[in-house]
């Protein structure tokens, strides 16, 4: 199911944008945006077909279809130690939109959010869109560990939000229950909100336990939002479907109201919600095979790069990206340009634009493709020097 023969390259060249096959010249291998090269699960395809057979595409409930909200709640409760009801779930048109909505709800212009460094650029963008200011808390790029003493020292009277990425993109760290509990205690001591981006929480290796943030303590339940999406685990990024979760119903109702998910101003495509709901109901076997394939690819990519002279990788606990350190004297941007020009491989530079100041000296390499494409791409990178 996840061999090179299962990849439809013609379809990818027509449809896979965002720095991937459709956005690049022929002959270039994209190991860039975190999006699988494989077609989505047949159960999802069939679910979409079944839904539109009667020809009706009517309005759905503005905050989400009942089956969508139920399935997301059950998924978190059974897989991630959550304690959510369907009423704790809001359908949004991507995890990214969820992040922007939360920042807008929590922050007034000029107020401060602490985000990790490095981390995906959307954390910074969402705070800036809300008129907030950014404070960076360092993450060890080798281990993924957060400097909690530094985190406490960064909190000021103007701080309102701590945003975490778990599992961490791009380092691939899964934060333990103990670490999350400590973050919740810090947040509670300073009366701060916490936003936990958990879009990668299905792509966790070696059966490592994953705890959704709000599950770790009573403090974590009280002033937190969780963001989730389907683009990583089920390959439906183009359907733009995600969820915001919150255990405090009074807060959540206010959030839904102020985010305009109470009328036709907002709301998510019912077709996208059906696809996501079917994914959780019927496509788990497909997902488990995909996860096994990814773990094999992770180990392969790590071993190839570990013996190279140009990159020093660490083994991610989650995600399907590697974030190796550059061994030569090139900057992240220079390294990525060199590999594109001489190796015909596109990768993401660890530049401030994409991941923050702490990412410099690294590159991000996506491995959610076939073993053949991955090996060819990595060997091209190594041989380009």
């Amino acid at each position: 199911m996840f061999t090179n023969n299962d990849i439809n390259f013609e379809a990818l060249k027509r449809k896979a944008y965002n720095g991937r096959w459709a956005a690049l010249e022929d002959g270039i291998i994209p190991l860039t945006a975190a999006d699988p090269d494989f077609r989505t699960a047949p159960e999802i395809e069939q679910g979409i077909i079944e839904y539109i057979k009667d020809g009706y595409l009517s309005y759905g409930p503005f905050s989400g279809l009942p089956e969508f909200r139920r399935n997301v709640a059950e998924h978190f409760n059974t897989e991630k130690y959550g304690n959510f009801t369907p009423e704790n779930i809001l359908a949004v048109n991507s995890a990214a939109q969820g992040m922007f909505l939360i920042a807008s709800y929590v922050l007034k212009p000029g107020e401060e959010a602490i985000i990790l460094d490095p981390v995906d650029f959307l954390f910074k963008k969402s705070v800036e869109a809300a008129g907030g200011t950014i404070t960076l808390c360092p993450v060890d790029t080798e281990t993924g560990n957060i400097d909690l003493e530094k985190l406490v020292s960064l909190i000021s009277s103007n701080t309102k939000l701590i945003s975490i990425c778990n599992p961490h993109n791009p380092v691939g760290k899964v934060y333990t229950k103990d670490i999350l509990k400590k973050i919740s205690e810090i947040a509670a001591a300073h009366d701060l909100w916490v936003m936990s981006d958990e879009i990668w929480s299905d792509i966790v290796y070696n059966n490592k336990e994953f705890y959704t943030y709000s599950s770790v303590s009573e403090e974590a339940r009280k002033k937190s939002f969780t963001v989730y999406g389907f683009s990583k685990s089920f390959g439906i990024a183009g359907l733009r479907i995600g969820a915001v979760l919150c255990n405090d119903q009074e807060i959540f109702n206010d959030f839904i109201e102020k985010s305009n998910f109470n009328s036709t101003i907002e709301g998510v495509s019912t077709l996208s919600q059906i696809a996501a709901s079917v994914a959780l109901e019927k496509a788990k076997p497909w997902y488990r095979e995909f996860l096994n394939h990814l773990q094999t690819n992770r180990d392969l990519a790590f071993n190839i790069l570990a013996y190279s002279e140009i990159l020093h990788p660490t083994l991610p606990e989650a995600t399907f990206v590697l974030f190796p350190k550059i061994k030569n004297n090139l900057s992240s941007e220079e390294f990525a340009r060199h590999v594109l020009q001489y190796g015909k491989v596109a990768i993401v530079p660890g530049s401030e634009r994409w991941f923050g100041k702490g990412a410099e000296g690294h590159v991000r390499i996506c491995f959610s493709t076939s073993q053949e494409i991955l090996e060819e791409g990595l060997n091209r990178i190594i041989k380009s020097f």
Side-chain angles (χ1 to χ4, degrees), residues 19 45 63 152 157 231 242 260 314 323 343 347 351 371 375:
E45 296 174 20
S63 53
V152 173
S157 59
S231 59
N260 289 314
T314 56
F323 195 59
I347 55 177
S351 55
Q371 181 176 319
E375 282 190 278

Side-chain angles (χ1 to χ4, degrees), residues 133-151:
T133 61
I134 294 288
T135 298
L136 300 177
C137 180
V139 169
D140 188 310
T141 54
E142 188 88 13
T143 64
N145 292 336
I146 301 168
D147 186 337
L148 295 181
E149 287 186 14
K150 180 68 172 177
L151 174 63

Side-chain angles (χ1 to χ4, degrees), residues 63-79:
S63 53
L65 291 170
E67 56 265 53
F68 174 84
R69 301 175 87 182
R70 182 184 69 249
N71 281 313
V72 172
E74 287 179 1
H75 182 57
F76 269 74
N77 295 348
T78 57
E79 306 285 343

Side-chain angles (χ1 to χ4, degrees), residues 68-181:
F68 174 84
R69 301 175 87 182
R70 182 184 69 249
N71 281 313
V72 172
E74 287 179 1
H75 182 57
F76 269 74
N77 295 348
T78 57
E79 306 285 343
K80 308 173 199 292
Y81 297 93
N83 185 26
F84 296 103
T85 68
E87 291 72 34
N88 297 151
I89 314 299
L90 173 69
V92 291
N93 77 2
S94 64
Q97 189 200 23
M99 295 171 69
F100 278 69
L101 291 171
I102 292 162
S104 295
Y105 179 75
V106 168
L107 297 171
K108 295 184 179 71
E111 291 183 334
E112 182 180 80
I114 297 174
I115 69 172
L116 304 179
D117 180 36
V119 79
D120 185 86
F121 75 101
L122 289 171
F123 284 80
K124 182 172 183 283
K125 287 279 189 183
S126 60
V127 172
E128 290 175 342
T133 61
I134 294 288
T135 298
L136 300 177
C137 180
V139 169
D140 188 310
T141 54
E142 188 88 13
T143 64
N145 292 336
I146 301 168
D147 186 337
L148 295 181
E149 287 186 14
K150 180 68 172 177
L151 174 63
V152 173
S153 74
L154 293 172
I155 296 170
S156 72
S157 59
N158 200 38
T159 307
K160 303 300 176 188
L161 172 67
I162 298 172
S163 290
I164 59 174
C165 185
N166 185 31
H168 186 277
N169 173 21
V171 178
K173 175 74 171 178
V174 177
Y175 295 110
T176 63
K177 181 179 181 180
D178 184 54
I179 293 297
L180 296 175
K181 191 172 182 182

Side-chain angles (χ1 to χ4, degrees), residues 17-20 30-36 232 320-321 346 348 364 366 368:
Y17 287 89
N18 194 22
R20 298 181 67 235
L31 303 178
T32 48
D35 201 11
K232 311 308 177 193
F320 44 70
V321 297
V348 183
R364 197 187 76 169
C366 178
S368 58

Side-chain angles (χ1 to χ4, degrees), residues 160-349:
K160 303 300 176 188
L161 172 67
I162 298 172
S163 290
I164 59 174
C165 185
N166 185 31
H168 186 277
N169 173 21
V171 178
K173 175 74 171 178
V174 177
Y175 295 110
T176 63
K177 181 179 181 180
D178 184 54
I179 293 297
L180 296 175
K181 191 172 182 182
K182 287 177 181 175
I183 292 171
S184 75
E185 290 166 355
I186 292 168
H190 296 85
D191 194 25
L192 304 179
W193 294 91
V194 173
M195 192 276 290
S196 180
D197 171 21
E198 299 178 8
I199 192 171
W200 285 103
S201 58
D202 295 328
I203 310 296
V204 175
Y205 303 117
N206 301 113
N207 297 311
K208 188 175 179 67
E209 286 189 308
F210 179 86
Y211 289 85
T212 187
Y213 175 77
S214 70
S215 72
V216 301
S217 68
E218 188 56 35
E219 291 89 349
R221 286 173 58 88
K222 286 180 179 175
K223 285 189 74 171
S224 71
F225 290 95
T226 299
V227 171
Y228 177 66
F230 295 80
S231 59
K232 311 308 177 193
S233 43
F234 292 102
I236 52 174
L239 288 178
R240 308 293 298 173
I241 179 65
V244 173
L245 302 85
C246 178
N247 277 118
D248 188 308
Q249 199 61 52
E250 189 176 342
I251 288 173
F252 202 39
N253 290 342
D254 187 55
F255 170 78
I256 290 170
E257 181 84 13
K258 288 178 178 170
S259 300
N260 289 314
F261 279 78
N262 57 352
S263 73
T264 49
I265 296 171
E266 283 289 359
V268 178
S269 159
T270 53
L271 203 58
S272 299
Q273 293 179 66
I274 288 296
S277 189
V278 169
L280 295 179
E281 271 190 27
K282 299 180 179 179
K284 290 281 183 76
W286 179 95
Y287 147 76
R288 281 189 282 271
E289 285 196 42
F290 181 43
L291 186 61
N292 287 336
H293 171 76
L294 290 173
Q295 184 156 336
T296 300
N297 270 12
R298 177 200 66 162
D299 296 345
L300 173 69
F302 175 82
N303 288 328
I304 290 173
L305 293 181
Y307 288 100
S308 78
E309 299 293 322
I310 59 166
L311 291 169
H312 169 68
T314 56
L315 193 67
E317 298 174 331
T319 78
F320 44 70
V321 297
L322 290 172
F323 195 59
K325 185 176 178 60
I326 299 167
K327 286 185 176 181
N328 58 31
N329 293 321
L330 295 180
S331 71
S332 298
E333 291 278 1
E334 289 168 341
F335 189 97
R337 282 198 298 270
H338 178 96
V339 167
L340 182 63
Q341 182 175 354
Y342 298 103
K344 301 299 179 186
V345 180
I347 55 177
V348 183

